[in-house]
């Protein structure tokens, strides 16, 4: 029975051992990012460095042996060769110490830089964004990003180089063991076994250290939020006006302590256990040195041999002096990256049954888009934001989607972009499910300006060109899009024109008002249309503009949209009356559809909303979000 009970345990141990080997192989593969030339230099460096201690011990032993057995008259000639060898080895050792850090620093930069690119690519190119909103995914990003913010964090570059150094040091262990065995074979297990035990204790402490740090990541993430708030010009306004400075700093201090106090406590406990390391080194070395010294005193061993044993014995413990924390931390970083990849690609969209050939012409006509029985519930919630919604976007039309706040308008757009997968139903383009088209191919055909659009701290030209970043930049299209959006008037006032950074934090940069930024975003959208997008979606694109300016913007949009379809979401009903069709989204479904005049004649919810807004406008209310000019 004991054999049957023990077998599963042996299988588990075997699987864990194989997994550990595979993890280390994956870590070593990261070394390829250092480049063949630099990697070859580092390997040669490590091999030479591993042989220096044993070579130094032998050279020193020969030198002492000859000095002790040669007459003074012939001492110079006899001792010259070992003396030169000893001096050369000392110089080599010092030279290796001098070049180690520059070589390793350059390799770490290359390896970690390549790893960060992989993390960024993985996070930015995943088909949907739902996973990025989950706290556990943000923790994995923090673990995998290889961008240390404090002394507890390690990177794949650190881990891979330390693991390579450890493997190279095994050659040093063999050479040191050969020197010891030349005197007595029993010295090898006497010194090597305790040295291995010391390394295992170090590894255990490093694993505990890393696990303790992982438990404090949430505190670090929260501290980062408040650190960004107190140093950002955006949040800085409220921090100062509301007197939040001391309160925010207190939060930072509390969360930093949440992250580091457990690590500090563990560090103190590990320090108290250093006596075990001390004894594991002192006792075996003491036994070996006393035995060799007694043998020398009896005349059984020469002074030179004893010196070689002393030097080789102490080098055994230096062989295992590799930074274990780097290896453990690097392995954890690589594992976190693998887990992050699984989380972000846990449910890849199905492949098209018959993918188009590579030379197939690109679609140039706007598609007929259908939402068929679409339902959606945000992860972690129960309320259906959309509930069996049916809607068509006809080719070339200007469709306006209106509804109260929280009706699901922005969610509808995110689903159209493929940023979330529907809970039920589907979205088709010309009869093909957009999932089968593929996220990348589908997004080539559409352009979306979200309500919470990004204000890139780049030049004005870059801010517009990012509207279709996957196509070659077209300067003429940038100019035309700016004219179509009315941004050319603002552009004339920028100190460096198109090359002006749109952020005061950049050298020579300026800040724009909310309305001016929306003109930038409209130019961004129209640039996408001019460079191939055939479905343009604008989510509250003119919320910062007054009604008259908004009317002019919509007129420009209608005149310059070409044959593209346009979906417009707006809270102002006075301007969407220009749309070819207006649909009202209420309680997750389309409840009314038609032209403005048809919906007014229907005298339903749309007509009631329009009447309320018209009355507010007659009484002088202006519901734009903010006013302001270029400053």
């Amino acid at each position: 029975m004991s054999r049957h009970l023990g077998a599963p345990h042996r299988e588990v141990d075997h699987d864990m051992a194989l997994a550990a080997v595979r993890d280390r192989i994956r870590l070593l593969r990261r070394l390829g990012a250092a480049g063949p030339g630099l990697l070859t230099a580092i390997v040669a460096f490590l091999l030479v460095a591993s042989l220096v201690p044993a070579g130094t011990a032998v050279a020193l032993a020969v030198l002492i042996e000859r000095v002790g057995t040669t007459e003074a008259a012939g001492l110079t000639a006899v001792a010259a060769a070992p003396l030169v060898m000893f001096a050369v080895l000392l110089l080599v050792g010092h030279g290796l110490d001098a070049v180690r850090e520059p070589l390793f620093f350059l390799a770490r930069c290359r390896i970690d830089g390549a790893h960060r690119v992989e993390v960024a690519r993985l996070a930015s190119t995943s088909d949907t964004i739902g996973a990025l909103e989950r706290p556990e995914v943000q923790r994995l990003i923090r673990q995998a990003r290889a961008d240390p913010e404090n002394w507890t964090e390690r990177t794949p570059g650190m881990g891979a180089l330390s693991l390579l150094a450890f493997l190279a040091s095994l050659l040093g262990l063999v050479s040191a063991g050969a020197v010891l065995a030349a005197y007595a074979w029993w010295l090898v297990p006497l010194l090597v076994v305790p040295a291995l035990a010391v390394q295992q204790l170090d590894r255990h402490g490093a694993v505990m250290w890393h696990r303790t740090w992982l438990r404090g990541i949430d505190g670090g993430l929260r501290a980062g939020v408040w650190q960004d708030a107190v140093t950002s010009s955006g949040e800085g306004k409220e921090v100062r006006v509301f007197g939040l400075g001391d309160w925010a700093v207190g939060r930072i201090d509390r969360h930093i302590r949440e992250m580091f106090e457990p690590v500090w406590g563990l560090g103190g406990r590990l320090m108290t256990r250093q006596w075990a390391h001390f004894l594991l080194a002192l006792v075996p070395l003491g036994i070996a040195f006393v035995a060799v010294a007694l043998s020398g005193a009896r005349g059984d061993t020469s002074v030179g041999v004893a010196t070689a044993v002393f030097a080789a014995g102490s080098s055994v413990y230096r062989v295992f002096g590799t930074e274990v924390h780097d290896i453990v931390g690097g392995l954890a970083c690589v594992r976190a990256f693998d887990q992050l990849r699984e989380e972000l690609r846990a449910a890849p969209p199905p492949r098209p049954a018959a993918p188009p050939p590579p030379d197939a012409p690109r679609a140039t006509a706007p598609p007929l888009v259908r939402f068929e029985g679409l339902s959606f519930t945000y992860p972690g919630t129960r309320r259906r934001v959309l509930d069996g919604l049916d809607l068509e976007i006809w080719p070339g039309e200007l469709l306006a989607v209106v509804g109260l706040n929280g009706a699901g308008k922005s969610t509808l757009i995110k689903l159209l972009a493929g940023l979330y997968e529907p809970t039920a139903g589907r979205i088709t383009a010309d009869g093909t499910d957009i999932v089968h088209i593929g996220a990348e191919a589908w997004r080539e055909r559409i352009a979306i300006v979200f309500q919470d659009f990004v204000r890139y701290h780049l030049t004005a030209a870059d801010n517009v060109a990012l509207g279709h970043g996957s196509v070659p930049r077209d300067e003429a299209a940038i100019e035309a899009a700016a004219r179509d959006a009315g941004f050319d008037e603002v552009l004339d006032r920028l100190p460096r024109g198109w090359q002006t950074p749109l952020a005061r934090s950049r050298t020579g940069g300026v800040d724009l008002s909310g309305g001016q930024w929306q003109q930038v975003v409209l130019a961004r959208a129209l640039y996408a249309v001019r460079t191939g997008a055939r479905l343009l979606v604008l989510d509250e694109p003119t919320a910062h503009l007054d009604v008259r300016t908004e009317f002019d913007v919509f007129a420009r949009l209608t005149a310059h949209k070409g044959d593209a379809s346009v979906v417009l979401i707006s809270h102002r009903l006075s301007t969407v009356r220009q749309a070819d069709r207006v649909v009202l989204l209420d309680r997750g479904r389309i409840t009314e559809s038609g032209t403005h005049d048809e919906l007014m004649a229907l005298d339903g919810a749309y007509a009631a909303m329009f009447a309320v807004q018209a009355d507010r406008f007659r009484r002088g209310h202006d519901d734009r979000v903010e006013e302001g000019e270029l400053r």
Side-chain angles (χ1 to χ4, degrees), residues 33 85 88 102 105 111 133 140 160 174 181 229 232 285 350 356 362 368 390 410 432 464 466 468 525-526 542 561 628:
M85 180 60 66
V88 168
F105 177 78
I111 296 169
E133 298 175 339
L140 286 174
V174 171
S232 168
L285 282 174
R362 179 175 174 175
L368 170 61
D390 293 304
S410 295
T432 303
V464 174
L466 286 175
H468 206 168
L526 292 173
T542 55
K561 72 181 184 66

Side-chain angles (χ1 to χ4, degrees), residues 24-58:
R24 282 157 176 78
I25 292 174
R26 285 206 305 273
L27 184 60
L28 287 173
R29 285 175 179 167
R30 301 278 170 168
L31 292 167
L38 179 59
L39 184 58
T40 301
I42 289 176
V43 170
F45 163 87
L46 290 173
L47 292 177
V48 172
S50 66
L51 294 174
V52 166
T56 303
V58 172

Side-chain angles (χ1 to χ4, degrees), residues 81-388:
L83 181 61
V84 170
M85 180 60 66
F86 180 68
V88 168
L89 288 172
L90 286 180
L91 290 174
V92 169
H94 286 297
L96 292 174
D97 289 340
V99 302
R100 176 188 174 95
E101 186 54 35
L103 282 177
F104 276 47
F105 177 78
L106 180 56
R108 282 199 305 270
C109 289
R110 290 182 178 180
I111 296 169
D112 294 337
H115 178 83
R116 292 180 194 121
V117 169
E118 290 183 33
V119 173
R121 181 181 292 114
L122 181 61
S124 62
T125 59
S126 59
D127 289 338
T128 62
I129 63 172
L132 292 176
E133 298 175 339
R134 289 164 30 209
E136 56 269 29
V137 171
Q138 289 300 317
R139 284 194 288 270
L140 286 174
I141 291 175
R142 173 65 182 269
Q143 297 172 44
R145 66 184 182 179
D147 189 13
E149 291 185 353
N150 55 69
W151 44 270
T152 65
E153 300 178 16
R154 300 297 193 272
T155 69
M158 295 178 180
L161 290 169
S162 291
L163 182 55
L164 181 64
F166 170 74
L167 294 177
S169 69
L170 296 180
L171 178 61
L173 179 63
V174 171
S175 60
V179 174
L180 294 173
Y183 170 75
W185 68 266
W186 54 267
L187 285 178
V188 177
L190 175 67
L191 298 179
V192 171
V193 172
L196 288 171
V198 169
Q199 195 211 31
Q200 283 302 107
L201 288 175
D202 287 341
R203 180 184 176 280
H204 178 68
V207 171
M208 291 176 59
W209 185 286
H210 189 75
R211 288 175 179 172
T212 304
W213 170 73
L214 289 182
R215 289 195 292 270
I217 278 184
D218 285 347
L221 290 173
R222 296 187 187 102
V225 170
W226 290 109
Q227 286 172 337
D228 291 341
V230 298
T231 58
S232 168
S233 59
E235 290 89 341
K237 295 192 293 291
E238 291 194 359
V239 168
R240 285 155 178 78
V241 171
F242 297 150
L244 302 178
D246 290 340
W247 185 83
V249 171
R251 284 295 184 101
I252 295 172
D253 179 70
R254 191 181 83 186
H255 294 314
I256 286 179
R257 289 181 178 276
E258 288 177 6
M259 182 177 188
F260 288 117
E261 282 185 344
V263 178
W264 294 334
L266 175 63
R269 293 193 298 273
L270 292 177
M271 286 294 292
T272 61
R273 300 175 187 175
Q274 289 300 308
W275 60 268
H277 297 66
F278 178 72
L279 290 179
L280 282 171
L282 179 63
V283 172
L285 282 174
I287 294 173
F289 289 175
V290 168
V292 174
L294 291 176
S295 178
R298 292 193 301 267
D300 298 334
T301 301
S302 66
V303 176
V305 172
T307 302
V309 171
F310 293 161
S314 60
S315 70
V316 168
Y317 288 87
R318 289 198 298 272
V319 165
F320 292 105
T322 305
E323 184 54 63
V324 181
H325 285 273
D326 287 350
I327 298 176
V328 172
L331 285 169
C333 193
V334 172
R335 292 190 194 108
F337 176 81
D338 293 340
Q339 294 174 25
L340 179 64
R341 180 170 51 201
E342 293 300 318
E343 290 287 343
L344 294 180
R345 298 178 179 174
R351 296 289 182 183
D359 57 348
R362 179 175 174 175
T364 57
L368 170 61
V369 179
R370 286 194 175 96
F371 296 82
E372 302 175 0
L374 201 70
S375 297
F376 181 72
T377 301
Y378 279 100
T381 66
R382 295 183 178 180
R383 185 179 75 87
R384 283 193 174 186
V385 181
L386 301 177
D387 187 8

